[in-house]
Amino acid sequence: MAAVFPTVREVLALDPVRHGAPRVVAGDEGLDRPVRWVHVAEVPDIATLLGGGELVLTTGIGLPGDDTGLRAFIGDLADVGVSGLVVELGRRYVSGVPRVMAAAAERRGLPLVELRRATPFVRITEAVHALIVDAQLTELRATEEIHQRFNDLSVEGADTAEVIRQAAELSGCPVVLENLSRQVLGYDPAGESAELLLDGWEQHSRRIRPAGRTAYDRDSGWLVTTVGARGQDWGRLLLRWPASGDVPSAQAVEPTVGPPTRLTILIERAASTLALGRLIRRDAEGLERQIHRTLLTALLDHSRPVDEVGLRAKALGVVLDRRHLVGVMVRHRADDSAGEVGPEAGQARLRDLSEAVGQALREAKLTALTSAVDDNSVGALLALPDPAAEDRALSAFASALRRVRLDAGTGRPGPGVEAARATSGVDVARPVPDASRAVLGADPSRPGAGVEAARAGVEGARGAGPGAVIVAAGSGVSTLREARRSLVEARQIAEAARRDRRDLPIFRLPHVGLAGLLHLLRDEPRLQTFVERELGALLEYDARHPRERLLDTLRAYLEQGRNKSAGAAAAHLSRPAFYERLARIARILDVDLDSVEASLSLHVALLALEAVRTP
């Protein structure tokens, strides 16, 4: 791709210059330097008025007459970075420029050209400046095309592959998009070998260290810009210039020469388009999730008519009418409010769980409304074709959820979710290994595979503390008006299952047992009245005598099946002390602890008390 400015070599090929019979006497290795302007000078101290890149024309009549002065004159021009010096013979120098001048120019690599025939300098300046203006207009048109092309891509919502392809097409150079871990998200080789381009990419990329957000790394030949927005960078866009080895070597070593300005504009506009596209897709996804949450919340608290919920869900592509609906709740076993995590970490954990649930639903190919419904839970309303699909769908979902979460090994979304977040669901220009696919070991089509995989996932997740999750499902219903019952039931089952340490892939109502049932009824006034009637006197006694903790003694006795020796050991008391405490409890409650019926009633009351006290 041609530079904006003509080179000294191109200037010498112009007709007005060729009319003067030019001859290069020194510095021919610098003939590919760009000429930014042409300046006519007849004074020795002209260097102080130059800014670099000029082609200086002179007759030599004002140049120093001594060798030292000529060397200084050449040195000053080289120091300021002029592109070359053209001397017309005939007025000061007749047969040729002084040897000392030629030698000094050769040492500094400054092109020195003789014009052996008189030539009007104005014609040279007009021709060169016209060439420069034409090049600048061409550059301006190219820049305008770049802006227009990427504006269109932004408006059209073009995917990553298309943005990269357009960048490669406009530049004629290979383009690579990578993430912050130096993994290739997309590329276009611009007609070159893709294998050679990407071979050992990570190691090669880590050696590319440009100085700045957008800069050219001369050692590697890559123009690099950072990709990101709102202070969050997520990748780099790289363009290799020159695309081939046909750029003159003088440009490759000249410190003032780099990629044309339009390439810098192009790569920055491409990066902006990629960042904007990701923001738009993220915002669109966020808006969709907000609508999902609005609809689920409306079903739970009756804030909107059911018909309206169904209509809005259908507009989102989630058809709830004439479907078998199943409420599902996914939550962590430990609450964020337990003090183990801060508010920001809790929000991040819930967000990760929500993304994992969404990813699992996609993997299981299930249609559902899904979103976080409170500070600890993510809800989903599955829309299934018929009741016969319920068990299969729940098993597939639970299995997919465990796989997604265990990919990372920490209860956070696995690589499949992170890759989806990095690319915002956008296709890339080449097949990139999908970590999420690499770990899909179970065959969902095999009977029982989903349950086995889900159970394995739960077993692997045990011991993760706050990272362990519970999947609970309510009873399936046939109409949207009954969906609230299924969602509420799923939420209550999930709460009750927190006390259950069994490794179940999915908790249903039959799994929660007596403790779960009491948890479901914990807000029932009649249950609270029962607790007070059975244990109120003992609770009042413990409040007055906190050191004795008779309630714990009663619990140890009942949990050990009314075995007094085992109860004493569980309470860490001697048998006589344990027996004495049991007698005191019997007097306070006015019950016979040897009675099976009385002990059963007290045991149920203890379980109910724990359910009432558990949030």
Side-chain angles (χ1 to χ4, degrees):
M1 182 172 287
V4 176
F5 302 110
T7 64
V8 175
R9 191 187 306 276
E10 292 170 339
V11 169
L12 296 182
L14 294 174
D15 289 341
V17 181
R18 291 173 59 191
H19 175 77
R23 182 169 69 94
V24 179
V25 296
D28 56 353
E29 71 276 10
L31 292 178
D32 292 302
R33 290 179 177 178
V35 176
R36 186 177 59 84
W37 204 245
V38 177
H39 196 88
V40 179
E42 300 295 353
V43 293
D45 57 350
I46 188 61
T48 59
L49 304 177
L50 303 177
E54 296 89 353
L55 181 65
V56 177
L57 307 182
T58 183
T59 63
I61 58 175
L63 297 185
D66 59 292
D67 292 350
T68 302
L70 288 175
R71 293 192 190 97
F73 174 70
I74 294 297
D76 290 342
L77 293 180
D79 290 341
V80 80
V82 300
S83 299
L85 175 63
V86 178
V87 181
E88 182 188 75
L89 303 180
R91 299 193 182 187
R92 174 69 181 275
Y93 309 116
V94 179
S95 59
V97 297
R99 291 184 179 179
V100 64
M101 181 185 292
E106 186 66 29
R107 284 195 303 271
R108 298 301 301 269
L110 177 67
L112 177 59
V113 181
E114 295 177 341
L115 292 180
R116 291 168 290 175
R117 185 185 303 160
T119 304
F121 284 171
V122 66
R123 293 182 180 177
I124 296 178
T125 57
E126 286 176 347
V128 175
H129 292 168
L131 195 62
I132 292 174
V133 170
D134 287 344
Q136 289 176 331
L137 287 175
T138 301
E139 186 78 359
L140 182 61
R141 294 189 188 100
T143 301
E144 183 178 357
E145 181 183 0
I146 289 170
H147 285 295
Q148 185 61 47
R149 186 81 63 92
F150 286 106
N151 281 341
D152 292 343
L153 291 174
S154 297
V155 172
E156 294 169 0
D159 60 21
T160 301
E162 181 61 17
V163 175
I164 295 174
R165 189 189 70 79
Q166 294 282 359
E169 179 181 304
L170 289 171
S171 65
C173 305
V175 177
V176 176
L177 174 66
E178 65 177 16
N179 62 17
L180 298 181
S181 297
R182 304 300 195 269
Q183 296 171 330
V184 176
L185 301 177
Y187 75 95
D188 191 306
E192 297 189 16
S193 169
E195 294 182 1
L196 293 178
L197 178 68
L198 301 179
D199 184 37
W201 175 261
E202 180 178 345
Q203 293 74 20
H204 177 63
S205 174
R206 293 188 184 281
R207 292 192 293 268
I208 303 174
R209 298 180 178 179
R213 190 171 180 86
T214 300
Y216 179 63
D217 184 68
R218 193 170 306 280
D219 293 336
S220 63
W222 285 92
L223 177 62
V224 186
T225 190
T226 303
V227 184
R230 295 178 181 173
Q232 296 182 348
D233 298 333
W234 53 268
R236 298 197 308 176
L237 188 64
L238 302 94
L239 182 151
R240 194 176 71 193
W241 186 89
S244 59
D246 57 357
V247 172
S249 59
Q251 288 194 29
V253 299
E254 176 60 40
T256 61
V257 176
T261 303
R262 65 176 172 275
L263 286 189
T264 301
I265 295 173
L266 183 148
I267 194 172
E268 288 182 339
R269 287 292 285 116
S272 298
T273 302
L274 290 170
L276 179 61
R278 186 183 184 199
L279 285 176
I280 292 173
R281 285 183 288 272
R282 179 192 298 171
D283 290 344
E285 182 182 2
L287 178 59
E288 182 177 344
R289 288 184 180 179
Q290 291 175 21
I291 297 175
H292 276 238
R293 180 164 189 166
T294 298
L295 298 181
L296 279 179
T297 304
L299 290 174
L300 286 168
D301 60 16
H302 297 296
S303 60
R304 293 175 184 270
V306 173
D307 292 341
E308 180 183 341
V309 172
L311 185 62
R312 295 192 63 182
K314 185 177 181 180
L316 281 175
V318 181
V319 179
L320 301 177
D321 294 332
R322 300 180 182 180
R323 294 291 189 275
H324 183 72
L325 306 177
V326 182
V328 175
M329 289 288 166
V330 182
R331 62 155 298 142
H332 292 94
R333 284 189 176 271
D335 286 344
D336 294 343
S337 58
E340 299 174 358
V341 295
E344 293 184 1
Q347 292 175 6
R349 186 175 74 159
L350 182 63
R351 183 171 59 250
D352 289 340
L353 181 60
S354 180
E355 291 179 355
V357 169
Q359 179 75 2
L361 289 169
R362 288 189 292 271
E363 284 194 12
K365 296 181 173 58
L366 296 174
T367 299
L369 286 177
T370 179
S371 77
V373 294
D374 55 40
D375 292 340
N376 300 292
S377 304
V378 177
L381 181 62
L382 305 186
L384 307 176
D386 54 68
E390 181 176 316
D391 290 341
R392 183 173 63 254
L394 289 174
S395 295
F397 167 70
S399 176
L401 179 62
R402 303 306 177 188
R403 285 197 303 265
V404 170
R405 297 189 72 252
L406 290 176
D407 279 352
T410 59
R412 294 176 62 86
V417 174
E418 295 296 341
R421 183 185 302 164
T423 61
S424 298
V426 181
D427 294 335
V428 294
R430 73 178 183 92
V432 180
D434 186 347
S436 65
R437 295 177 183 172
V439 298
L440 302 184
D443 180 6
S445 64
R446 180 172 57 85
V451 176
E452 292 173 5
R455 179 175 291 113
V458 176
E459 291 171 353
R462 286 291 184 254
V469 298
I470 295 167
V471 181
S475 302
V477 297
S478 58
T479 66
L480 186 56
R481 295 187 184 279
E482 300 176 284
R484 180 180 185 276
R485 174 166 60 84
S486 184
L487 288 167
V488 170
E489 184 179 302
R491 174 186 276 175
Q492 292 174 338
I493 293 171
E495 289 286 343
R498 295 171 60 197
R499 295 173 43 83
D500 196 316
R501 294 300 168 183
R502 288 177 295 174
D503 295 338
L504 299 179
I506 305 170
F507 282 88
R508 307 298 297 268
L509 191 57
H511 297 140
V512 297
L514 177 60
L517 175 63
L518 294 174
H519 187 87
L520 297 179
L521 300 174
R522 67 188 185 280
D523 295 326
E524 172 60 47
R526 286 175 292 184
L527 180 66
Q528 298 170 7
T529 300
F530 169 74
V531 171
E532 288 299 316
R533 184 176 67 245
E534 294 292 316
L535 300 174
L538 190 61
L539 292 172
E540 291 177 3
Y541 182 89
D542 274 357
R544 295 193 303 269
H545 308 85
R547 295 175 62 87
E548 295 190 31
R549 303 177 63 180
L550 293 183
L551 189 70
D552 290 342
T553 302
L554 177 62
R555 181 181 291 107
Y557 172 67
L558 296 175
E559 288 182 350
Q560 297 303 317
R562 295 188 302 120
N563 184 316
K564 295 181 180 179
S565 298
H572 304 290
L573 294 172
S574 65
R575 289 185 184 180
F578 189 73
Y579 296 162
E580 192 278 329
R581 288 195 176 194
L582 288 179
R584 197 180 318 159
I585 291 171
R587 290 194 301 272
I588 293 171
L589 295 178
D590 191 20
V591 297
D592 180 7
L593 293 180
D594 291 328
S595 167
V596 174
E597 183 177 350
S599 295
L600 176 60
S601 182
L602 290 174
H603 200 177
V604 172
L606 279 173
L607 293 175
L609 176 64
E610 292 183 10
V612 171
R613 288 178 171 178
T614 302

